[in-house]
Amino acid sequence: MGADESKSAAAPGAKDLSLTAQAEFSAYAHASRHDCWAVVNIAAPVYKRESRVAIDVVAVIDQSGSMAGEKIERVKKTLLFVISQLQKCDRLALVTYDSQTYVKFHLLHMSNRNKRTASDVVNSIRAGTNTDLCAGLLKGMEEVTYHSGSDRAKVQSVLLLTDGLATHGVITMDGILAKMRTIQQPEDHTKKRFDGTVYTFGFGSDHNAGLLEAISTQGGGVYYFIDSSDKIPKSFADCLGGLLSVVGQNLSLKLEMLGDNEFTEVHANHSVSWITPRKSCEVPLGDIQSEEVRAVVLQLVLPALAAASQDPVVKVTLTYFNVISSKTEIVSSELIVNRSDANPGDPDTNMDQQRNRITTANALKQAQALANAGNLDGARSLLNETIVQIEKSVSSQSNLSKALVIDLKKTLTSLQSHEEYHSYGQQYLCSKAQSHFQQRSNSVDEEVGCYTNTAKTECREYSKMY
């Protein structure tokens, strides 16, 4: 994450998430109606490697014919790196797929002996035929769901890598997502459900970025776009570092408007469930990793008041499972707004940079739709307008706002021709939009470290040996 965001992270040594709320200005005149922006910040404590919990990882690897040669060799080295980073308390399973699916080994504790066994299996992987991506994904999810046993880890994840399109079995996005839901939300409530995360890795220019992004979003993870084989180890390392530093799970934020104030919009990285329209809602936020910040941006209407006041306008309640303490925690806060004729002061920098983040993520999504329809001029124009807007904002010099501009400018370079867009830009756009919506890193070549943390940085450094 950028330096500006890390200032609001929970203190080193803390085990709990912190929860704060801040309006854009320090005061709003009481006699007038106001359209107000505010931000709710959830900050995770600083990562400590020695205090982390055990994890279960299922690697699901495309071994179709197109993976032959350097790609499959890079993947093998990457898996050997993953094995090296796991401890005896952690477990790893390996699933490969081409036109068929193969469970190479079920979840194994990574003792020295099992590491040697797993490494031998990894080195035996060979490229095969077609790509039944859906079957491979489901087999990986089933491994977590049905083969975890009584010693299942608190953090469980499926890591899916492919270099191409789904060409065998269920191949449509709707069909694959529906199959995922049968394991995530089985109709038979007596059956176990998958409650881990799914991360996807798309290598090269031939994979379906939209499909991998959708799979990872539904699975509570992110999509990594890997444009060269040397980035395979670093991408897996970035993901692994995040999994090793998960501190909170099943975050749920409840927002309750007080008095005659109303919500007009709640900007979150997940769908908002309204309890009472414009007055109260719940926002599921998935998991949170060490040092991450989840900023939920609010738009409110503050009515005119007969007299000055300084009262709470929004009650904020966060419920989550604390992975470190193994307890369900509830944290509360309030958004207090000063309604007086005092000087409103300058806009809050954090509020402004989070608004820039939302603007950027939406612009990237809209530009992708324009480019997919063949309107590259419209896509470039939209992104240029967004750059100008951010560079004129009060938070333009914050690390986050600078990172947003860098991403937007890099995206522009991939929109110069239809050929360049389809070979690189489409995937890059898709991954960057998701990263800014989710507030989680999914790239290993960022000029400014946006959303990353200590554990991810350490793992990426270790991966250089592979």
Side-chain angles (χ1 to χ4, degrees), residues 230-288:
D230 63 307
K231 292 179 183 176
I232 295 175
K234 289 188 287 185
S235 298
F236 268 73
D238 187 82
C239 178
L240 181 62
L243 295 175
L244 292 173
S245 63
V246 171
V247 294
Q249 294 175 318
N250 300 320
L251 276 66
S252 179
L253 188 69
K254 187 175 184 180
L255 304 169
E256 299 173 271
M257 187 63 74
L258 306 175
D260 294 330
N261 308 288
E262 292 186 338
F263 293 112
T264 56
E265 191 73 49
V266 174
H267 302 275
N269 61 313
H270 288 73
S271 59
V272 177
S273 177
W274 287 97
I275 301 168
T276 303
R278 301 175 70 90
K279 299 297 287 186
S280 64
C281 65
E282 290 185 349
V283 185
L285 295 171
D287 66 11
I288 191 167

Side-chain angles (χ1 to χ4, degrees), residues 95-351:
V95 175
T96 63
Y97 66 94
D98 47 26
S99 58
Q100 300 183 62
T101 302
Y102 314 90
V103 179
K104 296 294 188 178
F105 54 85
H106 293 292
L107 286 166
L108 285 176
H109 282 287
M110 287 292 98
S111 63
N112 289 335
R113 180 179 179 180
N114 285 341
K115 282 187 175 185
R116 289 192 294 270
T117 300
S119 297
D120 288 342
V121 174
V122 166
N123 284 320
S124 71
I125 296 175
R126 298 290 182 270
T129 54
N130 293 321
T131 309
D132 193 343
L133 182 149
C134 183
L137 170 62
L138 296 180
K139 185 64 70 175
M141 294 174 70
E142 289 170 356
E143 182 67 24
V144 167
T145 307
Y146 303 126
H147 296 281
S148 293
S150 59
D151 57 347
R152 69 185 299 275
K154 294 175 184 175
V155 178
Q156 298 185 304
S157 193
V158 173
L159 313 185
L160 171 74
L161 180 138
T162 184
D163 74 330
L165 305 174
T167 60
H168 194 80
V170 181
I171 62 175
T172 66
M173 180 186 298
D174 287 346
I176 293 172
L177 297 180
K179 287 289 188 180
M180 287 180 68
R181 284 192 292 272
T182 64
I183 303 178
Q184 292 173 308
Q185 302 165 352
E187 292 184 2
D188 183 351
H189 298 298
T190 64
K191 293 182 67 175
K192 292 182 179 179
R193 67 181 183 88
F194 174 83
D195 59 0
T197 53
V198 178
Y199 288 77
T200 59
F201 301 80
F203 176 71
S205 60
D206 294 329
H207 66 273
N208 185 335
L211 172 62
L212 296 188
E213 187 272 336
I215 288 172
S216 64
T217 296
Q218 183 164 307
V222 291
Y223 152 64
Y224 285 80
F225 167 44
I226 306 172
D227 60 339
S228 61
S229 61
D230 63 307
K231 292 179 183 176
I232 295 175
K234 289 188 287 185
S235 298
F236 268 73
D238 187 82
C239 178
L240 181 62
L243 295 175
L244 292 173
S245 63
V246 171
V247 294
Q249 294 175 318
N250 300 320
L251 276 66
S252 179
L253 188 69
K254 187 175 184 180
L255 304 169
E256 299 173 271
M257 187 63 74
L258 306 175
D260 294 330
N261 308 288
E262 292 186 338
F263 293 112
T264 56
E265 191 73 49
V266 174
H267 302 275
N269 61 313
H270 288 73
S271 59
V272 177
S273 177
W274 287 97
I275 301 168
T276 303
R278 301 175 70 90
K279 299 297 287 186
S280 64
C281 65
E282 290 185 349
V283 185
L285 295 171
D287 66 11
I288 191 167
Q289 298 168 359
S290 168
E291 301 163 67
E292 284 189 327
V293 172
R294 290 289 177 270
V296 178
V297 177
L298 314 177
Q299 288 180 257
L300 325 171
V301 173
L302 307 177
L305 300 178
S309 70
Q310 187 165 347
D311 298 319
V313 298
V314 181
K315 180 182 177 183
V316 185
T317 306
L318 173 68
T319 304
Y320 70 101
F321 178 75
N322 188 319
V323 172
I324 300 173
S325 66
S326 297
K327 296 179 181 178
T328 297
E329 307 279 3
I330 300 176
V331 187
S332 297
S333 185
E334 293 176 328
L335 173 64
I336 298 175
V337 176
N338 180 4
R339 301 298 305 276
S340 72
D341 293 328
N343 187 337
D346 295 326
D348 181 74
T349 301
N350 180 53
M351 168 63 249

Side-chain angles (χ1 to χ4, degrees), residues 54-97:
I55 67 172
D56 287 344
V57 176
V58 181
V60 179
I61 304 300
D62 181 349
Q63 64 168 42
S64 60
S66 60
M67 287 290 291
E70 181 187 5
K71 286 185 280 188
I72 201 73
E73 293 306 315
R74 284 280 188 181
V75 170
K76 290 180 186 180
K77 289 182 179 180
T78 300
L79 292 173
L80 294 176
F81 161 73
V82 171
I83 290 169
S84 76
Q85 294 299 297
L86 297 178
Q87 299 175 1
K88 186 177 180 180
C89 61
D90 304 314
R91 296 189 299 178
L92 176 69
L94 177 61
V95 175
T96 63
Y97 66 94

Side-chain angles (χ1 to χ4, degrees), residues 361-410:
N362 284 324
L364 289 169
K365 270 295 186 189
Q366 293 167 22
Q368 185 180 19
L370 290 168
N372 286 344
N375 186 0
L376 295 185
D377 288 339
R380 289 193 297 267
S381 177
L382 173 61
L383 296 186
N384 277 314
E385 291 171 5
T386 305
I387 290 170
V388 171
Q389 181 180 338
I390 294 173
E391 290 181 333
K392 289 182 177 179
S393 70
V394 297
S395 68
S396 62
Q397 297 306 303
S398 77
N399 279 6
L400 177 57
S401 290
K402 287 179 179 178
L404 297 174
V405 170
I406 288 171
D407 285 347
L408 289 165
K409 288 182 176 179
K410 187 170 182 178

